Amino acid sequence: LGWSVAYQAARALAYHLMVALRLRLGYTDYIHSLYDTGTPDWRRHVEALRGIVADARAAGAPLVVAVWPLPDGAYGFSPYEFAREQEQAVHAAQAAGAVVVDLLPHFAHGRYTDFALSDWDPHPNPGAQRRAAAAIRDVIEAHGLGPSAAR
């Protein structure tokens, strides 16, 4: 246990030093960079999304895309640092022809602790996953894509 704690501490220190020296992007800047529409990476992401939608349509299956928000441990969703990126992801999926579930409105007024697994892990906890599943189910049913539509 002592070795892994020391390793993680050294790794965190190295990361923060690299960010401070501008040798590496910090988390927020990294997320913003992923959505830079002027980069070939973004264009490849959009093309891949269009291809996934086309493949799903060719197979006779609609594609439902759930766009999860990325909370900040200090602020949760207020202010929401990635509102532009959230909107951009929603728009890209809609433009590609997918049915989209924007999950931000379902979490925007909640606390970080209502969403995240822990103070250090912003992935959705079981309660947040249940809320998202209900929102996704509602969209699927509203579009007539649920199990009853297959009958």
Side-chain angles (χ1 to χ4, degrees):
L1 182 64
W3 173 251
S4 68
V5 170
Y7 171 76
Q8 290 299 327
R11 189 171 175 206
L13 179 63
Y15 168 78
H16 289 294
L17 183 59
M18 288 176 24
V19 169
L21 294 172
R22 298 187 191 278
L23 299 173
R24 181 178 180 154
L25 292 174
Y27 177 73
T28 301
D29 291 332
Y30 171 70
I31 297 297
H32 291 312
S33 76
L34 293 175
Y35 292 83
D36 181 347
T37 59
T39 65
D41 285 344
W42 175 255
R43 290 188 291 276
R44 280 193 295 271
H45 290 302
V46 170
E47 284 304 312
L49 185 55
R50 289 180 185 141
I52 292 167
V53 171
D55 290 348
R57 281 193 179 138
L63 181 67
V64 178
V65 173
V67 181
W68 285 86
L70 298 169
D72 179 280
Y75 304 106
F77 298 105
S78 181
Y80 184 48
E81 289 184 273
F82 306 115
R84 181 185 66 85
E85 289 79 7
Q86 182 84 15
E87 184 178 317
Q88 190 174 330
V90 167
H91 176 73
Q94 288 171 334
V99 173
V100 179
V101 185
D102 182 0
L103 294 172
L104 178 60
H106 299 276
F107 297 104
H109 302 293
R111 298 173 305 173
Y112 178 82
T113 54
D114 295 334
F115 181 89
L117 281 172
S118 71
D119 289 343
W120 304 279
D121 188 345
H123 289 92
N125 63 33
Q129 291 180 26
R130 283 190 294 277
R131 288 174 69 185
I136 294 165
R137 179 204 59 224
D138 291 348
V139 169
I140 287 171
E141 289 176 355
H143 283 82
L145 304 174
S148 61
R151 294 182 203 156

